[in-house]
PDB file of all heavy atoms in Angstrom:
ATOM      1  N   ARG A   1     -93.291   0.863  12.561  1.00 85.00           N
ATOM      2  CA  ARG A   1     -92.396   1.517  11.594  1.00 85.00           C
ATOM      3  C   ARG A   1     -92.545   3.041  11.648  1.00 85.00           C
ATOM      4  O   ARG A   1     -91.547   3.763  11.516  1.00 85.00           O
ATOM      5  CB  ARG A   1     -92.669   0.993  10.186  1.00 85.00           C
ATOM      6  CG  ARG A   1     -92.085  -0.397   9.946  1.00 85.00           C
ATOM      7  CD  ARG A   1     -92.269  -0.851   8.517  1.00 85.00           C
ATOM      8  NE  ARG A   1     -91.772  -2.207   8.357  1.00 85.00           N
ATOM      9  CZ  ARG A   1     -90.549  -2.521   7.943  1.00 85.00           C
ATOM     10  NH1 ARG A   1     -89.692  -1.547   7.646  1.00 85.00           N
ATOM     11  NH2 ARG A   1     -90.173  -3.769   7.819  1.00 85.00           N
ATOM     12  N   LEU A   2     -93.759   3.515  11.832  1.00 85.00           N
ATOM     13  CA  LEU A   2     -93.944   4.953  11.971  1.00 85.00           C
ATOM     14  C   LEU A   2     -93.214   5.473  13.204  1.00 85.00           C
ATOM     15  O   LEU A   2     -92.576   6.533  13.174  1.00 85.00           O
ATOM     16  CB  LEU A   2     -95.436   5.288  12.066  1.00 85.00           C
ATOM     17  CG  LEU A   2     -96.225   5.215  10.747  1.00 85.00           C
ATOM     18  CD1 LEU A   2     -97.720   5.342  11.023  1.00 85.00           C
ATOM     19  CD2 LEU A   2     -95.768   6.287   9.762  1.00 85.00           C
ATOM     20  N   ALA A   3     -93.293   4.708  14.299  1.00 79.00           N
ATOM     21  CA  ALA A   3     -92.593   5.108  15.521  1.00 79.00           C
ATOM     22  C   ALA A   3     -91.088   5.150  15.288  1.00 79.00           C
ATOM     23  O   ALA A   3     -90.399   6.081  15.725  1.00 79.00           O
ATOM     24  CB  ALA A   3     -92.929   4.145  16.656  1.00 79.00           C
ATOM     25  N   GLN A   4     -90.564   4.165  14.561  1.00 79.00           N
ATOM     26  CA  GLN A   4     -89.130   4.144  14.249  1.00 79.00           C
ATOM     27  C   GLN A   4     -88.747   5.342  13.382  1.00 79.00           C
ATOM     28  O   GLN A   4     -87.696   5.961  13.586  1.00 79.00           O
ATOM     29  CB  GLN A   4     -88.777   2.849  13.524  1.00 79.00           C
ATOM     30  CG  GLN A   4     -88.864   1.602  14.388  1.00 79.00           C
ATOM     31  CD  GLN A   4     -88.606   0.347  13.567  1.00 79.00           C
ATOM     32  OE1 GLN A   4     -87.744   0.339  12.689  1.00 79.00           O
ATOM     33  NE2 GLN A   4     -89.347  -0.707  13.833  1.00 79.00           N
ATOM     34  N   TYR A   5     -89.594   5.657  12.408  1.00 83.00           N
ATOM     35  CA  TYR A   5     -89.302   6.768  11.505  1.00 83.00           C
ATOM     36  C   TYR A   5     -89.185   8.084  12.275  1.00 83.00           C
ATOM     37  O   TYR A   5     -88.220   8.831  12.108  1.00 83.00           O
ATOM     38  CB  TYR A   5     -90.396   6.873  10.442  1.00 83.00           C
ATOM     39  CG  TYR A   5     -90.263   8.099   9.566  1.00 83.00           C
ATOM     40  CD1 TYR A   5     -89.354   8.133   8.519  1.00 83.00           C
ATOM     41  CD2 TYR A   5     -91.045   9.228   9.803  1.00 83.00           C
ATOM     42  CE1 TYR A   5     -89.210   9.261   7.723  1.00 83.00           C
ATOM     43  CE2 TYR A   5     -90.920  10.363   9.011  1.00 83.00           C
ATOM     44  CZ  TYR A   5     -90.007  10.371   7.975  1.00 83.00           C
ATOM     45  OH  TYR A   5     -89.873  11.489   7.191  1.00 83.00           O
ATOM     46  N   TYR A   6     -90.153   8.357  13.136  1.00 78.00           N
ATOM     47  CA  TYR A   6     -90.127   9.622  13.866  1.00 78.00           C
ATOM     48  C   TYR A   6     -89.049   9.641  14.942  1.00 78.00           C
ATOM     49  O   TYR A   6     -88.506  10.694  15.261  1.00 78.00           O
ATOM     50  CB  TYR A   6     -91.512   9.919  14.451  1.00 78.00           C
ATOM     51  CG  TYR A   6     -92.533  10.177  13.370  1.00 78.00           C
ATOM     52  CD1 TYR A   6     -93.648   9.366  13.228  1.00 78.00           C
ATOM     53  CD2 TYR A   6     -92.346  11.210  12.456  1.00 78.00           C
ATOM     54  CE1 TYR A   6     -94.562   9.589  12.211  1.00 78.00           C
ATOM     55  CE2 TYR A   6     -93.259  11.430  11.435  1.00 78.00           C
ATOM     56  CZ  TYR A   6     -94.360  10.615  11.315  1.00 78.00           C
ATOM     57  OH  TYR A   6     -95.256  10.826  10.295  1.00 78.00           O
ATOM     58  N   ALA A   7     -88.708   8.473  15.473  1.00 72.00           N
ATOM     59  CA  ALA A   7     -87.622   8.404  16.452  1.00 72.00           C
ATOM     60  C   ALA A   7     -86.263   8.624  15.803  1.00 72.00           C
ATOM     61  O   ALA A   7     -85.303   9.023  16.465  1.00 72.00           O
ATOM     62  CB  ALA A   7     -87.634   7.054  17.165  1.00 72.00           C
ATOM     63  N   SER A   8     -86.182   8.398  14.483  1.00 70.00           N
ATOM     64  CA  SER A   8     -84.904   8.532  13.781  1.00 70.00           C
ATOM     65  C   SER A   8     -84.583   9.971  13.391  1.00 70.00           C
ATOM     66  O   SER A   8     -83.555  10.222  12.785  1.00 70.00           O
ATOM     67  CB  SER A   8     -84.915   7.665  12.518  1.00 70.00           C
ATOM     68  OG  SER A   8     -85.798   8.208  11.540  1.00 70.00           O
ATOM     69  N   ALA A   9     -85.466  10.894  13.717  1.00 58.00           N
ATOM     70  CA  ALA A   9     -85.271  12.323  13.401  1.00 58.00           C
ATOM     71  C   ALA A   9     -85.214  12.567  11.894  1.00 58.00           C
ATOM     72  O   ALA A   9     -84.594  13.506  11.424  1.00 58.00           O
ATOM     73  CB  ALA A   9     -84.019  12.867  14.068  1.00 58.00           C
ATOM     74  N   ALA A  10     -85.880  11.697  11.119  1.00 60.00           N
ATOM     75  CA  ALA A  10     -85.886  11.860   9.663  1.00 60.00           C
ATOM     76  C   ALA A  10     -87.031  12.748   9.194  1.00 60.00           C
ATOM     77  O   ALA A  10     -87.153  13.037   8.014  1.00 60.00           O
ATOM     78  CB  ALA A  10     -85.996  10.483   8.992  1.00 60.00           C
ATOM     79  N   ASN A  11     -87.888  13.190  10.109  1.00 59.00           N
ATOM     80  CA  ASN A  11     -89.068  13.951   9.741  1.00 59.00           C
ATOM     81  C   ASN A  11     -88.702  15.408   9.466  1.00 59.00           C
ATOM     82  O   ASN A  11     -88.514  16.199  10.379  1.00 59.00           O
ATOM     83  CB  ASN A  11     -90.111  13.869  10.869  1.00 59.00           C
ATOM     84  CG  ASN A  11     -91.424  14.520  10.480  1.00 59.00           C
ATOM     85  OD1 ASN A  11     -91.683  14.780   9.321  1.00 59.00           O
ATOM     86  ND2 ASN A  11     -92.261  14.782  11.474  1.00 59.00           N
ATOM     87  N   VAL A  12     -88.615  15.781   8.191  1.00 59.00           N
ATOM     88  CA  VAL A  12     -88.211  17.140   7.830  1.00 59.00           C
ATOM     89  C   VAL A  12     -89.403  18.087   7.709  1.00 59.00           C
ATOM     90  O   VAL A  12     -89.231  19.300   7.662  1.00 59.00           O
ATOM     91  CB  VAL A  12     -87.423  17.134   6.498  1.00 59.00           C
ATOM     92  CG1 VAL A  12     -86.154  16.335   6.644  1.00 59.00           C
ATOM     93  CG2 VAL A  12     -88.285  16.580   5.360  1.00 59.00           C
ATOM     94  N   SER A  13     -90.620  17.545   7.658  1.00 61.00           N
ATOM     95  CA  SER A  13     -91.797  18.388   7.438  1.00 61.00           C
ATOM     96  C   SER A  13     -92.424  18.871   8.737  1.00 61.00           C
ATOM     97  O   SER A  13     -93.209  19.815   8.728  1.00 61.00           O
ATOM     98  CB  SER A  13     -92.854  17.601   6.646  1.00 61.00           C
ATOM     99  OG  SER A  13     -93.386  16.550   7.448  1.00 61.00           O
ATOM    100  N   GLY A  14     -92.089  18.240   9.850  1.00 69.00           N
ATOM    101  CA  GLY A  14     -92.721  18.590  11.112  1.00 69.00           C
ATOM    102  C   GLY A  14     -94.069  17.923  11.294  1.00 69.00           C
ATOM    103  O   GLY A  14     -94.728  18.087  12.322  1.00 69.00           O
ATOM    104  N   LEU A  15     -94.509  17.141  10.299  1.00 75.00           N
ATOM    105  CA  LEU A  15     -95.789  16.435  10.362  1.00 75.00           C
ATOM    106  C   LEU A  15     -95.592  15.066  10.988  1.00 75.00           C
ATOM    107  O   LEU A  15     -94.609  14.379  10.715  1.00 75.00           O
ATOM    108  CB  LEU A  15     -96.360  16.267   8.955  1.00 75.00           C
ATOM    109  CG  LEU A  15     -97.628  15.424   8.824  1.00 75.00           C
ATOM    110  CD1 LEU A  15     -98.827  16.194   9.359  1.00 75.00           C
ATOM    111  CD2 LEU A  15     -97.852  15.031   7.375  1.00 75.00           C
ATOM    112  N   GLN A  16     -96.537  14.667  11.833  1.00 81.00           N
ATOM    113  CA  GLN A  16     -96.519  13.313  12.374  1.00 81.00           C
ATOM    114  C   GLN A  16     -97.808  12.615  12.013  1.00 81.00           C
ATOM    115  O   GLN A  16     -98.895  13.188  12.153  1.00 81.00           O
ATOM    116  CB  GLN A  16     -96.341  13.334  13.894  1.00 81.00           C
ATOM    117  CG  GLN A  16     -94.932  13.686  14.334  1.00 81.00           C
ATOM    118  CD  GLN A  16     -94.688  13.398  15.803  1.00 81.00           C
ATOM    119  OE1 GLN A  16     -95.593  12.993  16.521  1.00 81.00           O
ATOM    120  NE2 GLN A  16     -93.471  13.603  16.246  1.00 81.00           N
ATOM    121  N   ILE A  17     -97.670  11.378  11.543  1.00 85.00           N
ATOM    122  CA  ILE A  17     -98.829  10.534  11.234  1.00 85.00           C
ATOM    123  C   ILE A  17     -98.970   9.534  12.365  1.00 85.00           C
ATOM    124  O   ILE A  17     -98.050   8.765  12.644  1.00 85.00           O
ATOM    125  CB  ILE A  17     -98.641   9.789   9.902  1.00 85.00           C
ATOM    126  CG1 ILE A  17     -98.388  10.775   8.761  1.00 85.00           C
ATOM    127  CG2 ILE A  17     -99.843   8.911   9.600  1.00 85.00           C
ATOM    128  CD1 ILE A  17     -97.922  10.109   7.477  1.00 85.00           C
ATOM    129  N   VAL A  18    -100.111   9.542  13.012  1.00 82.00           N
ATOM    130  CA  VAL A  18    -100.374   8.638  14.124  1.00 82.00           C
ATOM    131  C   VAL A  18    -101.631   7.842  13.803  1.00 82.00           C
ATOM    132  O   VAL A  18    -102.613   8.393  13.299  1.00 82.00           O
ATOM    133  CB  VAL A  18    -100.572   9.424  15.441  1.00 82.00           C
ATOM    134  CG1 VAL A  18    -101.040   8.509  16.559  1.00 82.00           C
ATOM    135  CG2 VAL A  18     -99.281  10.120  15.845  1.00 82.00           C
ATOM    136  N   ILE A  19    -101.599   6.527  14.060  1.00 84.00           N
ATOM    137  CA  ILE A  19    -102.786   5.684  13.902  1.00 84.00           C
ATOM    138  C   ILE A  19    -103.137   5.169  15.292  1.00 84.00           C
ATOM    139  O   ILE A  19    -102.548   4.187  15.764  1.00 84.00           O
ATOM    140  CB  ILE A  19    -102.537   4.524  12.921  1.00 84.00           C
ATOM    141  CG1 ILE A  19    -102.003   5.070  11.592  1.00 84.00           C
ATOM    142  CG2 ILE A  19    -103.829   3.737  12.690  1.00 84.00           C
ATOM    143  CD1 ILE A  19    -101.569   3.989  10.623  1.00 84.00           C
ATOM    144  N   PRO A  20    -104.054   5.827  15.988  1.00 75.00           N
ATOM    145  CA  PRO A  20    -104.350   5.454  17.372  1.00 75.00           C
ATOM    146  C   PRO A  20    -104.846   4.014  17.483  1.00 75.00           C
ATOM    147  O   PRO A  20    -105.465   3.484  16.550  1.00 75.00           O
ATOM    148  CB  PRO A  20    -105.439   6.445  17.783  1.00 75.00           C
ATOM    149  CG  PRO A  20    -105.277   7.592  16.845  1.00 75.00           C
ATOM    150  CD  PRO A  20    -104.824   6.992  15.555  1.00 75.00           C
ATOM    151  N   MET A  21    -104.581   3.395  18.620  1.00 67.00           N
ATOM    152  CA  MET A  21    -105.087   2.066  18.887  1.00 67.00           C
ATOM    153  C   MET A  21    -106.618   2.089  18.844  1.00 67.00           C
ATOM    154  O   MET A  21    -107.254   3.035  19.295  1.00 67.00           O
ATOM    155  CB  MET A  21    -104.629   1.579  20.265  1.00 67.00           C
ATOM    156  CG  MET A  21    -103.127   1.535  20.431  1.00 67.00           C
ATOM    157  SD  MET A  21    -102.351   0.315  19.352  1.00 67.00           S
ATOM    158  CE  MET A  21    -100.626   0.558  19.820  1.00 67.00           C
ATOM    159  N   GLY A  22    -107.199   1.032  18.299  1.00 71.00           N
ATOM    160  CA  GLY A  22    -108.653   0.933  18.247  1.00 71.00           C
ATOM    161  C   GLY A  22    -109.280   1.549  17.013  1.00 71.00           C
ATOM    162  O   GLY A  22    -110.496   1.521  16.856  1.00 71.00           O
ATOM    163  N   THR A  23    -108.453   2.114  16.132  1.00 81.00           N
ATOM    164  CA  THR A  23    -108.969   2.686  14.893  1.00 81.00           C
ATOM    165  C   THR A  23    -107.945   2.491  13.792  1.00 81.00           C
ATOM    166  O   THR A  23    -106.776   2.211  14.059  1.00 81.00           O
ATOM    167  CB  THR A  23    -109.276   4.188  15.063  1.00 81.00           C
ATOM    168  OG1 THR A  23    -109.818   4.689  13.835  1.00 81.00           O
ATOM    169  CG2 THR A  23    -108.012   4.964  15.401  1.00 81.00           C
ATOM    170  N   TYR A  24    -108.409   2.629  12.542  1.00 89.00           N
ATOM    171  CA  TYR A  24    -107.506   2.545  11.403  1.00 89.00           C
ATOM    172  C   TYR A  24    -107.387   3.891  10.696  1.00 89.00           C
ATOM    173  O   TYR A  24    -106.757   3.987   9.650  1.00 89.00           O
ATOM    174  CB  TYR A  24    -108.001   1.479  10.420  1.00 89.00           C
ATOM    175  CG  TYR A  24    -108.017   0.085  11.007  1.00 89.00           C
ATOM    176  CD1 TYR A  24    -109.217  -0.580  11.265  1.00 89.00           C
ATOM    177  CD2 TYR A  24    -106.833  -0.553  11.321  1.00 89.00           C
ATOM    178  CE1 TYR A  24    -109.225  -1.843  11.811  1.00 89.00           C
ATOM    179  CE2 TYR A  24    -106.831  -1.833  11.872  1.00 89.00           C
ATOM    180  CZ  TYR A  24    -108.034  -2.466  12.121  1.00 89.00           C
ATOM    181  OH  TYR A  24    -108.033  -3.719  12.684  1.00 89.00           O
ATOM    182  N   VAL A  25    -107.999   4.914  11.240  1.00 89.00           N
ATOM    183  CA  VAL A  25    -107.991   6.237  10.633  1.00 89.00           C
ATOM    184  C   VAL A  25    -106.786   7.031  11.137  1.00 89.00           C
ATOM    185  O   VAL A  25    -106.643   7.258  12.339  1.00 89.00           O
ATOM    186  CB  VAL A  25    -109.282   7.001  10.954  1.00 89.00           C
ATOM    187  CG1 VAL A  25    -109.255   8.386  10.327  1.00 89.00           C
ATOM    188  CG2 VAL A  25    -110.500   6.218  10.470  1.00 89.00           C
ATOM    189  N   PRO A  26    -105.904   7.480  10.250  1.00 88.00           N
ATOM    190  CA  PRO A  26    -104.724   8.243  10.681  1.00 88.00           C
ATOM    191  C   PRO A  26    -105.117   9.590  11.268  1.00 88.00           C
ATOM    192  O   PRO A  26    -106.126  10.192  10.877  1.00 88.00           O
ATOM    193  CB  PRO A  26    -103.923   8.424   9.378  1.00 88.00           C
ATOM    194  CG  PRO A  26    -104.496   7.454   8.409  1.00 88.00           C
ATOM    195  CD  PRO A  26    -105.921   7.272   8.790  1.00 88.00           C
ATOM    196  N   VAL A  27    -104.297  10.054  12.192  1.00 84.00           N
ATOM    197  CA  VAL A  27    -104.434  11.384  12.769  1.00 84.00           C
ATOM    198  C   VAL A  27    -103.151  12.144  12.447  1.00 84.00           C
ATOM    199  O   VAL A  27    -102.049  11.615  12.617  1.00 84.00           O
ATOM    200  CB  VAL A  27    -104.648  11.312  14.296  1.00 84.00           C
ATOM    201  CG1 VAL A  27    -104.649  12.707  14.906  1.00 84.00           C
ATOM    202  CG2 VAL A  27    -105.948  10.581  14.610  1.00 84.00           C
ATOM    203  N   LEU A  28    -103.291  13.379  11.990  1.00 80.00           N
ATOM    204  CA  LEU A  28    -102.136  14.193  11.632  1.00 80.00           C
ATOM    205  C   LEU A  28    -101.885  15.223  12.723  1.00 80.00           C
ATOM    206  O   LEU A  28    -102.789  15.955  13.124  1.00 80.00           O
ATOM    207  CB  LEU A  28    -102.385  14.904  10.303  1.00 80.00           C
ATOM    208  CG  LEU A  28    -102.718  13.993   9.109  1.00 80.00           C
ATOM    209  CD1 LEU A  28    -102.999  14.833   7.879  1.00 80.00           C
ATOM    210  CD2 LEU A  28    -101.595  13.019   8.859  1.00 80.00           C
ATOM    211  N   THR A  29    -100.658  15.256  13.219  1.00 75.00           N
ATOM    212  CA  THR A  29    -100.268  16.238  14.224  1.00 75.00           C
ATOM    213  C   THR A  29     -98.943  16.855  13.797  1.00 75.00           C
ATOM    214  O   THR A  29     -98.232  16.316  12.942  1.00 75.00           O
ATOM    215  CB  THR A  29    -100.100  15.603  15.612  1.00 75.00           C
ATOM    216  OG1 THR A  29     -98.999  14.673  15.569  1.00 75.00           O
ATOM    217  CG2 THR A  29    -101.350  14.867  16.043  1.00 75.00           C
ATOM    218  N   SER A  30     -98.605  17.966  14.385  1.00 66.00           N
ATOM    219  CA  SER A  30     -97.302  18.568  14.134  1.00 66.00           C
ATOM    220  C   SER A  30     -96.347  18.131  15.226  1.00 66.00           C
ATOM    221  O   SER A  30     -96.763  17.852  16.357  1.00 66.00           O
ATOM    222  CB  SER A  30     -97.397  20.095  14.109  1.00 66.00           C
ATOM    223  OG  SER A  30     -97.730  20.588  15.392  1.00 66.00           O
ATOM    224  N   ALA A  31     -95.078  18.062  14.899  1.00 57.00           N
ATOM    225  CA  ALA A  31     -94.078  17.671  15.894  1.00 57.00           C
ATOM    226  C   ALA A  31     -94.090  18.630  17.070  1.00 57.00           C
ATOM    227  O   ALA A  31     -93.866  18.249  18.215  1.00 57.00           O
ATOM    228  CB  ALA A  31     -92.696  17.634  15.256  1.00 57.00           C
ATOM    229  N   ALA A  32     -94.394  19.901  16.803  1.00 50.00           N
ATOM    230  CA  ALA A  32     -94.387  20.899  17.871  1.00 50.00           C
ATOM    231  C   ALA A  32     -95.522  20.689  18.853  1.00 50.00           C
ATOM    232  O   ALA A  32     -95.410  21.018  20.029  1.00 50.00           O
ATOM    233  CB  ALA A  32     -94.487  22.297  17.272  1.00 50.00           C
ATOM    234  N   SER A  33     -96.657  20.122  18.365  1.00 47.00           N
ATOM    235  CA  SER A  33     -97.804  19.939  19.239  1.00 47.00           C
ATOM    236  C   SER A  33     -97.779  18.610  19.964  1.00 47.00           C
ATOM    237  O   SER A  33     -98.584  18.361  20.847  1.00 47.00           O
ATOM    238  CB  SER A  33     -99.100  20.042  18.438  1.00 47.00           C
ATOM    239  OG  SER A  33     -99.198  18.965  17.508  1.00 47.00           O
ATOM    240  N   ALA A  34     -96.858  17.724  19.578  1.00 46.00           N
ATOM    241  CA  ALA A  34     -96.749  16.438  20.260  1.00 46.00           C
ATOM    242  C   ALA A  34     -96.161  16.644  21.645  1.00 46.00           C
ATOM    243  O   ALA A  34     -95.569  17.674  21.938  1.00 46.00           O
ATOM    244  CB  ALA A  34     -95.870  15.488  19.440  1.00 46.00           C
ATOM    245  N   ARG A  35     -96.328  15.624  22.502  1.00 45.00           N
ATOM    246  CA  ARG A  35     -95.841  15.736  23.870  1.00 45.00           C
ATOM    247  C   ARG A  35     -94.842  14.637  24.156  1.00 45.00           C
ATOM    248  O   ARG A  35     -95.063  13.773  24.993  1.00 45.00           O
ATOM    249  CB  ARG A  35     -97.022  15.641  24.843  1.00 45.00           C
ATOM    250  CG  ARG A  35     -98.046  16.705  24.611  1.00 45.00           C
ATOM    251  CD  ARG A  35     -99.239  16.559  25.541  1.00 45.00           C
ATOM    252  NE  ARG A  35     -99.961  15.335  25.289  1.00 45.00           N
ATOM    253  CZ  ARG A  35     -99.912  14.293  26.075  1.00 45.00           C
ATOM    254  NH1 ARG A  35     -99.155  14.272  27.126  1.00 45.00           N
ATOM    255  NH2 ARG A  35    -100.614  13.216  25.804  1.00 45.00           N
ATOM    256  N   PRO A  36     -93.727  14.611  23.425  1.00 46.00           N
ATOM    257  CA  PRO A  36     -92.789  13.509  23.600  1.00 46.00           C
ATOM    258  C   PRO A  36     -92.060  13.560  24.928  1.00 46.00           C
ATOM    259  O   PRO A  36     -91.862  14.614  25.505  1.00 46.00           O
ATOM    260  CB  PRO A  36     -91.809  13.692  22.431  1.00 46.00           C
ATOM    261  CG  PRO A  36     -91.841  15.155  22.165  1.00 46.00           C
ATOM    262  CD  PRO A  36     -93.247  15.597  22.437  1.00 46.00           C
ATOM    263  N   ILE A  37     -91.641  12.392  25.395  1.00 46.00           N
ATOM    264  CA  ILE A  37     -90.827  12.260  26.597  1.00 46.00           C
ATOM    265  C   ILE A  37     -89.508  11.644  26.173  1.00 46.00           C
ATOM    266  O   ILE A  37     -89.477  10.604  25.525  1.00 46.00           O
ATOM    267  CB  ILE A  37     -91.511  11.357  27.641  1.00 46.00           C
ATOM    268  CG1 ILE A  37     -92.863  11.972  28.068  1.00 46.00           C
ATOM    269  CG2 ILE A  37     -90.627  11.144  28.846  1.00 46.00           C
ATOM    270  CD1 ILE A  37     -93.669  11.053  28.933  1.00 46.00           C
ATOM    271  N   SER A  38     -88.394  12.258  26.528  1.00 50.00           N
ATOM    272  CA  SER A  38     -87.097  11.726  26.140  1.00 50.00           C
ATOM    273  C   SER A  38     -86.767  10.472  26.941  1.00 50.00           C
ATOM    274  O   SER A  38     -86.915  10.438  28.162  1.00 50.00           O
ATOM    275  CB  SER A  38     -86.018  12.783  26.379  1.00 50.00           C
ATOM    276  OG  SER A  38     -84.738  12.225  26.160  1.00 50.00           O
ATOM    277  N   ILE A  39     -86.300   9.441  26.248  1.00 49.00           N
ATOM    278  CA  ILE A  39     -85.956   8.202  26.938  1.00 49.00           C
ATOM    279  C   ILE A  39     -84.806   8.396  27.905  1.00 49.00           C
ATOM    280  O   ILE A  39     -84.669   7.675  28.889  1.00 49.00           O
ATOM    281  CB  ILE A  39     -85.613   7.090  25.902  1.00 49.00           C
ATOM    282  CG1 ILE A  39     -85.492   5.712  26.596  1.00 49.00           C
ATOM    283  CG2 ILE A  39     -84.337   7.421  25.167  1.00 49.00           C
ATOM    284  CD1 ILE A  39     -86.737   5.255  27.268  1.00 49.00           C
ATOM    285  N   LYS A  40     -83.986   9.421  27.670  1.00 48.00           N
ATOM    286  CA  LYS A  40     -82.838   9.619  28.551  1.00 48.00           C
ATOM    287  C   LYS A  40     -83.252  10.066  29.949  1.00 48.00           C
ATOM    288  O   LYS A  40     -82.429  10.074  30.864  1.00 48.00           O
ATOM    289  CB  LYS A  40     -81.855  10.625  27.944  1.00 48.00           C
ATOM    290  CG  LYS A  40     -82.396  12.028  27.765  1.00 48.00           C
ATOM    291  CD  LYS A  40     -81.371  12.892  27.045  1.00 48.00           C
ATOM    292  CE  LYS A  40     -81.871  14.304  26.831  1.00 48.00           C
ATOM    293  NZ  LYS A  40     -80.910  15.126  26.095  1.00 48.00           N
ATOM    294  N   SER A  41     -84.529  10.439  30.121  1.00 59.00           N
ATOM    295  CA  SER A  41     -85.002  10.848  31.439  1.00 59.00           C
ATOM    296  C   SER A  41     -85.866   9.778  32.088  1.00 59.00           C
ATOM    297  O   SER A  41     -86.562  10.037  33.055  1.00 59.00           O
ATOM    298  CB  SER A  41     -85.797  12.153  31.328  1.00 59.00           C
ATOM    299  OG  SER A  41     -86.963  11.950  30.542  1.00 59.00           O
ATOM    300  N   VAL A  42     -85.826   8.549  31.534  1.00 68.00           N
ATOM    301  CA  VAL A  42     -86.669   7.462  32.022  1.00 68.00           C
ATOM    302  C   VAL A  42     -85.810   6.351  32.617  1.00 68.00           C
ATOM    303  O   VAL A  42     -84.797   5.957  32.043  1.00 68.00           O
ATOM    304  CB  VAL A  42     -87.533   6.882  30.884  1.00 68.00           C
ATOM    305  CG1 VAL A  42     -88.337   5.682  31.365  1.00 68.00           C
ATOM    306  CG2 VAL A  42     -88.471   7.946  30.328  1.00 68.00           C
ATOM    307  N   ALA A  43     -86.224   5.856  33.786  1.00 74.00           N
ATOM    308  CA  ALA A  43     -85.505   4.769  34.447  1.00 74.00           C
ATOM    309  C   ALA A  43     -86.430   3.568  34.603  1.00 74.00           C
ATOM    310  O   ALA A  43     -87.595   3.713  34.971  1.00 74.00           O
ATOM    311  CB  ALA A  43     -84.994   5.221  35.814  1.00 74.00           C
ATOM    312  N   LEU A  44     -85.916   2.382  34.305  1.00 79.00           N
ATOM    313  CA  LEU A  44     -86.663   1.144  34.468  1.00 79.00           C
ATOM    314  C   LEU A  44     -86.443   0.615  35.879  1.00 79.00           C
ATOM    315  O   LEU A  44     -85.314   0.337  36.276  1.00 79.00           O
ATOM    316  CB  LEU A  44     -86.210   0.103  33.436  1.00 79.00           C
ATOM    317  CG  LEU A  44     -86.847  -1.290  33.538  1.00 79.00           C
ATOM    318  CD1 LEU A  44     -88.347  -1.212  33.283  1.00 79.00           C
ATOM    319  CD2 LEU A  44     -86.176  -2.254  32.551  1.00 79.00           C
TER     320      LEU A  44
END
């Protein structure tokens, strides 16, 4: 659900909440510091 939320461009604060695999402790990052890859540049 967090992935869906951030993919929907609804994040107005620039904050991203990430819960890495293997832990239950959230990590806070900024959208600017994330390293997203656009799906439009990916081929299966």
Side-chain angles (χ1 to χ4, degrees):
R1 284 185 183 266
L2 285 171
Q4 291 175 39
Y5 173 79
Y6 294 119
S8 70
N11 186 16
V12 298
S13 68
L15 174 73
Q16 286 193 356
I17 303 169
V18 172
I19 307 173
M21 301 294 180
T23 182
Y24 297 111
V25 179
V27 174
L28 303 178
T29 65
S30 67
S33 66
R35 301 177 295 106
I37 299 172
S38 173
I39 190 61
K40 63 185 180 182
S41 64
V42 176
L44 176 64

